[in-house]
Amino acid sequence: MDFIRTERDPLSLYQSMLLIRAYEKRLAALFAAGNFPLTCSAQGQEAAAVGVVRALNADDRILTNHRSSAHLLARGADPGRLIAEVMGKTTGYCGGKSGTLHISAKALGVVLTSTIVGGELSLATGVALSKQMLKQAGIVACFFGDGAACEGIFHESLNLASVWELPVLYVCENNQWQAFVHRRETMIADRIAPWAGNYAIDYASVDGNDVNAVLTAAEAAVERIRRTGKPYLLETCTYRQKGHFSLDDQGYVDADELTRWKALDPLRRMEAYLLESAGLSADDLAALRAQAEAGLDDAVAFAQQSPYPDSSALTADVYA
Amino acid sequence: MDFIRTERDPLSLYQSMLLIRAYEKRLAALFAAGNFPLTCSAQGQEAAAVGVVRALNADDRILTNHRSSAHLLARGADPGRLIAEVMGKTTGYCGGKSGTLHISAKALGVVLTSTIVGGELSLATGVALSKQMLKQAGIVACFFGDGAACEGIFHESLNLASVWELPVLYVCENNQWQAFVHRRETMIADRIAPWAGNYAIDYASVDGNDVNAVLTAAEAAVERIRRTGKPYLLETCTYRQKGHFSLDDQGYVDADELTRWKALDPLRRMEAYLLESAGLSADDLAALRAQAEAGLDDAVAFAQQSPYPDSSALTADVYA
Amino acid sequence: MSEITVNDAIVQALNEEMQRDARVLLFGEGVATLQPELVKRFGADRVRNTPLSEAIIAGTAVGAAATGLRPVIDMLYAPFLAYAMDAIVNSAGKLRYMSGGQFEFPLVVLAKTGAGWGVGAQHSHNLEAWFVHSPGLKVVMPSNAADFKGLLKSAIRDDNPVLFFSDMALGYDSGRVAAGEEALVPIGKAAIARSGCDVTLVAYAKCVPTCLQAAEQLAALGVDAEVIDLRTLKPLDEATLLTSVRKTGRLVVVHEAGPLCGIGAEIAALISEQAFSALKAPVRRVTSPDVPTPASPVLERAFLPQAPDVVAAVRGLLGGA
Amino acid sequence: MSEITVNDAIVQALNEEMQRDARVLLFGEGVATLQPELVKRFGADRVRNTPLSEAIIAGTAVGAAATGLRPVIDMLYAPFLAYAMDAIVNSAGKLRYMSGGQFEFPLVVLAKTGAGWGVGAQHSHNLEAWFVHSPGLKVVMPSNAADFKGLLKSAIRDDNPVLFFSDMALGYDSGRVAAGEEALVPIGKAAIARSGCDVTLVAYAKCVPTCLQAAEQLAALGVDAEVIDLRTLKPLDEATLLTSVRKTGRLVVVHEAGPLCGIGAEIAALISEQAFSALKAPVRRVTSPDVPTPASPVLERAFLPQAPDVVAAVRGLLGGA
Ligand SMILES: Cc1ncc(C[n+]2csc(CCOP(=O)(O)OP(=O)(O)O)c2C)c(N)n1
Ligand SMILES: Cc1ncc(C[n+]2csc(CCOP(=O)(O)OP(=O)(O)O)c2C)c(N)n1
Ligand SMILES: [Mg+2]
Ligand SMILES: [Mg+2]
């Protein structure tokens, strides 16, 4: 039941963010309980993911990285199959061979996920070249972090996309951290979007914790790419609320910074909006939360009941 | 007799350019005569090389690439030892193991030459880090082409040099060609210098065929680096008058472009200046040319009389 | 059948396969400039110059291959692959497996190498063993015009990433080459370049002619050498190797690449695992020494395996050394 | 002597060598954040975080090494070296030779690898053979705390580029480690982890414990196995290997890295070249299959060489198979 989600109404956006938050909290709980694989949490970045992914059509393609859960769920991935992949089960999107760090789901148009920082930047141009040369409708959205922007491949990818006029939406999720290093230590500027100027690529930087703002900016960017066929760089300014991965207690993170950003929590802000401007009640929200949790219960049960691959799978899928 | 040249008077600058031109013409003649190795000619780029190299002090370091003859000669390299290296003789700067493409001369402060495009960009930061941490006087000049600016390492090198405040003078010799590809096909912009802005690095772009202008710009850049300790990007706009290497007949080069640039020949322009503003006569210039040619005669004779290495050298110099 | 050079064979293969399949495209630093007739015939879209950016050239090819195109990229000299290892090894070689078989990577990476031109160790460095060691890739390295054409055509039709290495020294060698379909040479099949019964000489690329030369000199000494041209380095044609060594009982592997963890090491290990009882003498490797390729002509000659080195190794074996 | 973990041994070695030589500095993605005590002790100048830029991290180390510093860089996981191959292979490994000996490159590259953590093929990929195949480099890969400390100290004092690989699975193993100078372990010397006379098991990193386990099981079967811990992969300690095989006449090489053109291939080739007459049975390799490392725990276990696999291989040899 791989159904690509493209709904953009506020309620759908919120439901998607809620699912991502519930998913991340559930995985953290499972890890804490022991005997569950480590993962990279997207908690705090829900709006940045949902706002961009929902601006895409079904025939668009997505490339993502190690922190992909939000992109996959926003696109409509089945949380049960995601958790199954994390656990290395046959029902996972990659039959358990990927594990959590590089989940791709071709049926959802989420292709070629790489955990090599910058890997998605090196592959996105080729996916876009196929769109261009095979005259297929659709653009390519490439999600990468502020850290990936420091890799040489960022420069090579944007330069080629510009010279060859490739329909790539570069989405830099600037969450202020690069594993254990603060963005500040790795670059002079605070914003990455303007770097696109060197390649004559249009760009924008948006409040990544405001899903409505992200959606609006992403829709504008996508429209421009569809119209011109040229690349665009959208920076979503957001924050990694959890450690780099499950084992990271964030001991090195400045407490004030964390507090400042938690006050900007994307779910809280969308809830305020729904209550004030969309006529939802506190009860409605509670019901939605319960719904999301129930979905996670089923997902975890599905993953846990799924079988591990047979050892014969070890040597399968190497060559076409 | 490795003597680092730092003279900056117009006559010395011209003599250095004259030596480079004579050297390149002589090597082209030797290659045409047969049984001489292929080389990458710096003809047409003499002013860009001499103007920058002469702005340096003896304790500064230079990194260069495959097209290094002009940098080496401007710095004071012995043409005899250069030709010997090109021929693979023991008296060459690298004992014949380098050949023409990666000649380094530690005694001249010309270190770690790489023919891997961008190689010099990857090494320059480390040489500058040594200057910084060992508290040694001097800066590091790194010569690279417009093509090298397309490599990811350009982005990584400038970003690190900026964040770590390394004393690097990045010198982009924009000669309009990248082997068999025109610069125009590889980037949207015509100038590379402004790319430094992304890293908050100061920059300038100068007429690379006017040696006086290059020297002035380079002196200003060097002074700024010495004062601030921070990197700087100087772009010298010039032209590759010959093919990419000895075998390249330039059949693919637009005739008008070539004519336009030949009219801007750096030697012609410096000669005009010397005649008009420095009180030299045509006879003086003729004498200087004859002097340069005589020097080349000796250099070639020295290289030709030098021995080839003994085959025992094959396994020497691998490990320290 | 016509007599053409290795360089022409490569262009013929590209012409035929681009004609046959509109999804095939070629890009790299200067390919459009240097192959104007390909541009004229197939258009600027399918024959492209690129910026000087090996990492994105390879990455673009990998992304395109996974989504419907069949790219051929010219990476120029093998050492430049050092900039493109992530796309080739971590992406092209692994992402099919890591995705549970969701993607295919029909892609060909062209790279030249081989000493003899005095251009030094940053141009001349035989790196084929790196890619044999890495999962999910295929590696070919032909020795003659017919195989260059036939293997390149097969590589372009293969649904997996293929590293196609050309030895500079062979570019102007000419040989008789078939036209069109019959020209295909299968990936994974070695060729018996000369049959013999006293010793097996295994080589690839320019070391095949070296071994044939050595075989002539050995014949004069009454030694009948079999010469096997590997042609494909991954997957290795184990059957042909084992059959030959079981016949001759003696093996010398010859290549320009460095000795340590090279193809020669792999074949020596393979044979001493699979045909141990058939071996009458130690397996010998004749390779370049474990040093960078020197530019000086004298040293470069000494660096390369030569026929007399092969003859000496064989005589050592027959002397029972 | 104190009992410490492998991870602590690495930090101890860094502490002692940074104390001993002010030219030693450490940089990489997050090293300053994760080693605050090193920063406190030696200053932010000598212990630096870097941008996420492997190519310039390595290039900077190479340039610094050639001009008076002695950098140690943490490249995190081995597959990330794919971004740094030019600086390591084309520059650090070649520029001394290519310059006629004008430069030295005292530099250490740290990289982790090794399956067992379910992180998949872009983190778990044993690439040590690539660097053994490339000229001008040294490669070490220890198996226990004492060797981690002793070899890291030697690597930092070595005037050549040293690749120092750590197997993730060993990080929390503890062992008795000497303090200060006596802790030095020479590069290029293998260790006899267990002496025996019936068969030689050669391994490195986490496969050493695997072989010791196998040796116990073999002892129960009346087979006396000698276990050699290579410790250094380049230069190989040929003498120790040859002496052992001349004694036992049987050889099994065990490693996690892929089989093709791996260390096992090199050792099999070396032995069948140098100790052919001493061999009573074929040389056997027990390695992971030639596939990317799977993330699924079941498959990951099947991917790794296990003691029973080693025992089976030895029994095959003794059965004269
Ligand atoms: C080439 C490479 N270097 C280092 C790593 C280890 N690593 C994984 S994620 C990460 C931080 C990435 O930062 P960023 O790009 O900002 O993405 P984020 O994790 O913040 O979403 C690092 C250093 C890697 N996977 N690949
Ligand atoms: C990594 C790499 N790619 C390709 C080459 C082949 N090559 C040598 S010089 C050159 C052109 C370099 O252009 P540019 O940087 O502008 O320097 P220029 O030759 O114009 O001085 C190329 C493609 C190389 N040596 N290294
Ligand atoms: Mg980040
Ligand atoms: Mg140029």
Side-chain angles (χ1 to χ4, degrees):
Chain A
M1 48 142 263
D2 275 318
F3 175 66
I4 296 179
R5 296 204 167 275
T6 54
E7 308 94 322
R8 298 175 190 177
D9 58 286
L11 183 57
S12 311
L13 299 182
Y14 176 64
Q15 281 181 300
S16 183
M17 290 166 67
L18 209 47
L19 173 61
I20 296 164
R21 179 65 59 97
Y23 175 91
E24 293 297 8
K25 285 195 171 296
R26 189 64 65 99
L27 261 59
L30 288 165
F31 182 83
N35 192 15
F36 190 84
L38 50 81
T39 56
C40 292
S41 172
Q43 183 175 323
Q45 306 179 209
E46 295 87 351
V50 173
V52 174
V53 170
R54 288 302 173 88
L56 301 172
N57 296 343
D59 56 15
D60 296 326
R61 296 280 168 272
I62 294 173
L63 287 92
T64 172
N65 59 14
H66 57 287
R67 205 172 299 283
S68 61
S69 55
H71 310 132
L72 284 153
L73 288 166
R75 185 70 166 174
D78 170 357
R81 292 193 64 195
L82 283 185
I83 298 172
E85 186 58 47
V86 170
M87 295 176 74
K89 303 295 189 82
T90 50
T91 54
Y93 279 100
C94 307
K97 280 177 172 166
S98 163
T100 187
L101 291 173
H102 3 65
I103 301 177
S104 54
K106 196 176 182 181
L108 296 170
V110 180
V111 298
L112 302 179
T113 306
S114 173
T115 194
I116 302 293
V117 169
E120 65 293 326
L121 286 163
S122 81
L123 301 165
T125 43
V127 178
L129 183 63
S130 290
K131 286 283 193 191
Q132 183 189 72
M133 294 191 65
L134 299 173
K135 312 247 179 314
Q136 295 170 348
I139 69 161
V140 177
C142 176
F143 290 93
F144 62 100
D146 48 296
C150 297
E151 298 280 5
I153 195 68
F154 168 89
H155 176 65
E156 296 190 14
S157 184
L158 271 72
N159 188 50
L160 187 74
S162 176
V163 172
W164 284 10
E165 300 196 350
L166 300 172
V168 181
L169 173 61
Y170 289 100
V171 185
C172 183
E173 299 185 307
N174 182 349
N175 64 2
Q176 315 308 319
W177 284 93
Q178 307 171 6
F180 310 103
V181 181
H182 196 283
R183 196 211 69 247
R184 200 185 311 111
E185 280 188 81
T186 71
M187 56 184 70
I188 296 293
D190 285 325
R191 292 262 182 280
I192 285 136
W195 286 3
N198 279 6
Y199 317 99
I201 291 178
D202 294 325
Y203 59 86
S205 191
V206 63
D207 176 347
N209 285 14
D210 176 343
V211 70
N212 299 314
V214 174
L215 178 67
T216 308
E219 285 177 329
V222 169
E223 183 279 326
R224 194 186 195 93
I225 298 169
R226 296 198 202 282
R227 185 158 43 75
T228 63
K230 294 185 186 178
Y232 188 102
L233 172 55
L234 177 64
E235 175 180 29
T236 52
C237 300
T238 180
Y239 196 75
R240 190 192 76 195
Q241 285 188 6
K242 292 290 169 186
H244 170 51
F245 69 120
S246 312
L247 285 169
D248 174 9
D249 67 3
Q250 285 180 294
Y252 52 86
V253 173
D254 174 66
D256 297 350
E257 179 181 88
L258 197 52
T259 324
R260 230 177 22 260
W261 279 97
K262 285 223 169 136
L264 297 170
D265 182 78
L267 273 85
R268 237 31 54 64
R269 289 168 70 181
M270 188 57 175
E271 285 161 2
Y273 170 85
L274 292 171
L275 292 170
E276 290 153 25
S277 321
L280 267 72
S281 72
D283 291 353
D284 297 333
L285 297 186
L288 291 170
R289 276 199 213 87
Q291 199 180 47
E293 290 301 333
L296 259 298
D297 295 338
D298 300 344
V300 171
F302 169 82
Q304 278 168 343
Q305 284 148 27
S306 297
Y308 282 109
D310 179 279
S311 65
S312 67
L314 177 62
T315 51
D317 302 323
V318 179
Y319 290 100
Chain B
M1 48 145 263
D2 276 317
F3 174 65
I4 296 179
R5 295 203 168 276
T6 55
E7 307 93 322
R8 299 176 189 177
D9 59 286
L11 184 56
S12 312
L13 299 182
Y14 176 64
Q15 281 181 301
S16 183
M17 291 165 67
L18 208 47
L19 173 60
I20 296 164
R21 179 66 58 99
Y23 175 91
E24 294 297 7
K25 285 195 172 295
R26 189 65 65 100
L27 262 59
L30 287 166
F31 181 83
N35 193 14
F36 190 85
L38 49 82
T39 56
C40 293
S41 171
Q43 183 175 326
Q45 306 180 208
E46 296 87 352
V50 173
V52 175
V53 170
R54 288 302 173 86
L56 301 172
N57 295 343
D59 56 16
D60 296 326
R61 297 281 166 272
I62 294 173
L63 287 91
T64 172
N65 58 13
H66 56 286
R67 204 173 302 281
S68 61
S69 56
H71 310 131
L72 284 154
L73 289 166
R75 185 69 166 176
D78 171 356
R81 291 193 64 195
L82 284 185
I83 298 173
E85 186 57 47
V86 170
M87 296 177 73
K89 302 295 189 86
T90 51
T91 54
Y93 278 100
C94 306
K97 280 178 172 165
S98 162
T100 186
L101 291 172
H102 2 65
I103 301 176
S104 54
K106 196 176 183 181
L108 296 170
V110 180
V111 298
L112 304 178
T113 307
S114 174
T115 194
I116 301 293
V117 169
E120 65 293 324
L121 287 163
S122 82
L123 301 164
T125 44
V127 178
L129 183 64
S130 289
K131 287 282 193 191
Q132 183 189 72
M133 294 192 64
L134 299 173
K135 313 248 181 308
Q136 294 170 349
I139 69 163
V140 176
C142 177
F143 290 92
F144 61 100
D146 47 296
C150 297
E151 298 280 5
I153 195 67
F154 168 89
H155 177 65
E156 297 190 13
S157 184
L158 271 73
N159 188 50
L160 187 75
S162 176
V163 172
W164 285 9
E165 300 195 350
L166 300 172
V168 181
L169 173 60
Y170 289 100
V171 185
C172 183
E173 299 185 306
N174 183 350
N175 65 1
Q176 315 309 320
W177 284 94
Q178 307 171 7
F180 310 103
V181 181
H182 196 283
R183 196 212 69 248
R184 202 185 309 110
E185 279 188 82
T186 70
M187 56 184 71
I188 297 293
D190 284 325
R191 291 263 183 280
I192 285 137
W195 287 3
N198 279 6
Y199 317 99
I201 292 178
D202 294 323
Y203 59 86
S205 192
V206 64
D207 176 347
N209 284 14
D210 175 343
V211 71
N212 299 313
V214 174
L215 178 67
T216 307
E219 284 177 331
V222 168
E223 182 280 326
R224 194 185 196 93
I225 297 170
R226 296 199 201 283
R227 184 158 44 76
T228 63
K230 295 185 185 179
Y232 189 102
L233 172 56
L234 178 64
E235 174 181 29
T236 51
C237 300
T238 180
Y239 196 75
R240 191 192 76 193
Q241 285 188 5
K242 292 289 168 186
H244 171 51
F245 70 120
S246 312
L247 285 169
D248 174 8
D249 66 4
Q250 285 179 295
Y252 52 86
V253 172
D254 174 67
D256 297 350
E257 178 181 89
L258 197 51
T259 324
R260 230 176 24 260
W261 279 97
K262 286 225 168 136
L264 297 170
D265 182 78
L267 272 87
R268 283 309 90 61
R269 288 168 71 181
M270 187 58 174
E271 284 162 4
Y273 170 86
L274 292 172
L275 292 170
E276 291 153 25
S277 322
L280 267 71
S281 71
D283 291 352
D284 298 332
L285 298 185
L288 290 170
R289 275 199 214 88
Q291 198 180 49
E293 290 301 331
L296 260 299
D297 294 339
D298 300 344
V300 170
F302 169 82
Q304 278 168 344
Q305 284 148 27
S306 297
Y308 282 108
D310 179 279
S311 66
S312 68
L314 177 62
T315 52
D317 302 323
V318 179
Y319 290 100
Chain C
M1 276 288 179
S2 60
E3 180 96 3
I4 59 172
T5 67
V6 161
N7 290 336
D8 296 340
I10 293 171
V11 176
Q12 259 191 23
L14 288 168
N15 260 293
E16 291 176 9
E17 295 307 305
M18 290 183 80
Q19 180 61 43
R20 174 175 179 275
D21 186 340
R23 298 167 302 172
V24 178
L25 74 161
L26 172 70
F27 54 96
E29 296 156 5
V31 292
T33 311
L34 299 175
Q35 304 287 348
E37 65 295 335
L38 286 181
V39 179
K40 186 155 346 96
R41 185 159 172 204
F42 301 108
D45 252 28
R46 291 178 64 193
V47 183
R48 300 176 175 226
N49 283 339
T50 66
L52 242 165
S53 314
E54 288 70 19
I56 198 64
I57 292 169
T60 301
V62 176
T67 51
L69 297 175
R70 305 182 72 87
V72 178
I73 52 173
D74 184 352
M75 301 299 288
L76 306 181
Y77 288 84
F80 312 160
L81 291 170
Y83 276 156
M85 296 304 285
D86 175 55
I88 297 171
V89 174
N90 290 325
S91 295
K94 297 175 183 175
L95 287 183
R96 174 175 176 74
Y97 186 85
M98 293 173 67
S99 68
Q102 292 182 79
F103 307 99
E104 291 178 6
F105 297 94
L107 122 92
V108 179
V109 178
L110 303 175
K112 292 189 287 286
T113 187
W117 301 94
V119 288
Q122 290 181 331
H123 281 72
S124 303
H125 189 188
N126 286 62
L127 291 170
E128 49 276 6
W130 280 4
F131 302 94
V132 172
H133 186 62
S134 307
L137 306 173
K138 297 186 178 183
V139 182
V140 302
M141 195 160 178
S143 73
N144 61 68
D147 289 349
F148 266 88
K149 179 175 179 183
L151 280 166
L152 182 50
K153 286 167 67 76
S154 296
I156 292 171
R157 296 186 195 188
D158 198 285
D159 288 330
N160 299 285
V162 180
L163 279 289
F164 189 99
F165 289 101
S166 304
D167 190 316
M168 287 291 290
L170 301 170
Y172 296 96
D173 287 10
S174 57
R176 300 183 55 68
V177 172
E181 297 307 316
E182 326 99 77
L184 282 176
V185 172
I187 290 176
K189 291 292 305 162
I192 307 224
R194 181 189 197 280
S195 60
C197 56
D198 297 331
V199 61
T200 301
L201 308 180
V202 175
Y204 58 93
K206 79 151 86 67
C207 291
V208 172
T210 306
C211 286
L212 288 171
Q213 229 183 311
E216 292 314 310
Q217 298 173 19
L218 287 165
L221 304 168
V223 179
D224 185 21
E226 178 147 298
V227 178
I228 294 180
D229 180 350
L230 286 173
R231 306 198 295 189
T232 297
L233 306 182
K234 184 175 192 170
L236 269 180
D237 182 354
E238 303 190 355
T240 298
L241 291 167
L242 290 167
T243 307
S244 178
V245 174
R246 290 195 174 111
K247 173 175 64 174
T248 64
R250 297 183 185 83
L251 174 65
V252 177
V253 193
V254 185
H255 56 62
E256 172 176 341
L260 306 178
C261 297
I263 309 301
E266 179 54 36
I267 289 175
L270 171 76
I271 295 303
S272 41
E273 272 173 305
Q274 309 285 317
F276 181 72
S277 50
L279 280 175
K280 301 180 191 139
V283 177
R284 288 258 176 273
R285 288 179 283 179
V286 176
T287 71
S288 65
D290 180 33
V291 308
T293 310
S296 183
V298 191
L299 300 180
E300 206 179 20
R301 252 191 311 282
F303 173 87
L304 282 171
Q306 310 283 357
D309 309 324
V310 179
V311 171
V314 171
R315 297 184 74 174
L317 295 186
L318 292 162
Chain D
M1 277 288 179
S2 61
E3 179 96 3
I4 60 172
T5 66
V6 161
N7 290 337
D8 295 341
I10 292 172
V11 177
Q12 259 192 24
L14 289 169
N15 260 293
E16 291 177 11
E17 295 307 306
M18 290 183 81
Q19 181 61 42
R20 176 175 179 273
D21 186 341
R23 298 167 302 173
V24 178
L25 74 161
L26 172 69
F27 53 97
E29 296 156 5
V31 292
T33 311
L34 299 175
Q35 304 287 349
E37 64 293 337
L38 285 181
V39 179
K40 186 155 345 97
R41 186 160 172 204
F42 300 108
D45 251 29
R46 290 179 63 193
V47 184
R48 300 175 176 226
N49 283 338
T50 65
L52 242 165
S53 315
E54 288 70 19
I56 198 64
I57 292 169
T60 301
V62 176
T67 51
L69 297 175
R70 304 182 73 86
V72 178
I73 53 174
D74 184 352
M75 301 299 289
L76 306 180
Y77 289 83
F80 312 159
L81 291 170
Y83 276 156
M85 297 304 285
D86 176 54
I88 298 172
V89 173
N90 290 327
S91 295
K94 298 176 183 175
L95 287 183
R96 174 174 176 76
Y97 186 85
M98 292 172 69
S99 67
Q102 292 183 78
F103 307 99
E104 291 179 4
F105 297 94
L107 120 93
V108 179
V109 179
L110 303 174
K112 291 190 289 286
T113 186
W117 302 94
V119 287
Q122 290 180 332
H123 282 72
S124 302
H125 190 189
N126 285 63
L127 291 170
E128 50 276 6
W130 280 3
F131 302 94
V132 172
H133 186 60
S134 308
L137 306 172
K138 296 186 179 184
V139 183
V140 302
M141 196 159 177
S143 73
N144 61 69
D147 288 349
F148 266 88
K149 179 174 178 183
L151 280 165
L152 182 49
K153 286 168 66 77
S154 297
I156 292 171
R157 297 186 195 188
D158 198 285
D159 289 329
N160 299 286
V162 181
L163 279 289
F164 189 99
F165 289 101
S166 304
D167 190 316
M168 287 290 291
L170 300 170
Y172 296 96
D173 286 11
S174 58
R176 299 184 55 68
V177 172
E181 297 307 318
E182 326 99 79
L184 283 176
V185 171
I187 290 175
K189 290 292 305 162
I192 305 213
R194 181 189 197 281
S195 60
C197 54
D198 297 332
V199 61
T200 301
L201 308 180
V202 175
Y204 59 92
K206 79 152 87 66
C207 292
V208 172
T210 306
C211 286
L212 288 170
Q213 226 182 312
E216 292 313 313
Q217 298 173 19
L218 286 165
L221 303 169
V223 179
D224 185 20
E226 177 146 300
V227 177
I228 294 181
D229 180 350
L230 285 174
R231 305 198 294 189
T232 298
L233 306 182
K234 184 176 191 170
L236 271 178
D237 182 353
E238 303 191 355
T240 299
L241 290 168
L242 290 167
T243 307
S244 179
V245 174
R246 290 196 174 111
K247 174 174 65 173
T248 63
R250 298 183 185 82
L251 174 65
V252 177
V253 192
V254 185
H255 56 63
E256 173 176 340
L260 306 178
C261 297
I263 310 300
E266 179 55 35
I267 290 175
L270 172 76
I271 296 302
S272 40
E273 272 174 307
Q274 309 284 318
F276 181 74
S277 52
L279 281 174
K280 302 181 191 133
V283 176
R284 288 258 177 274
R285 286 180 284 179
V286 176
T287 71
S288 65
D290 180 33
V291 308
T293 310
S296 183
V298 191
L299 300 181
E300 206 180 19
R301 252 190 312 281
F303 173 87
L304 283 171
Q306 309 284 355
D309 308 325
V310 179
V311 171
V314 171
R315 297 184 75 174
L317 294 187
L318 292 161

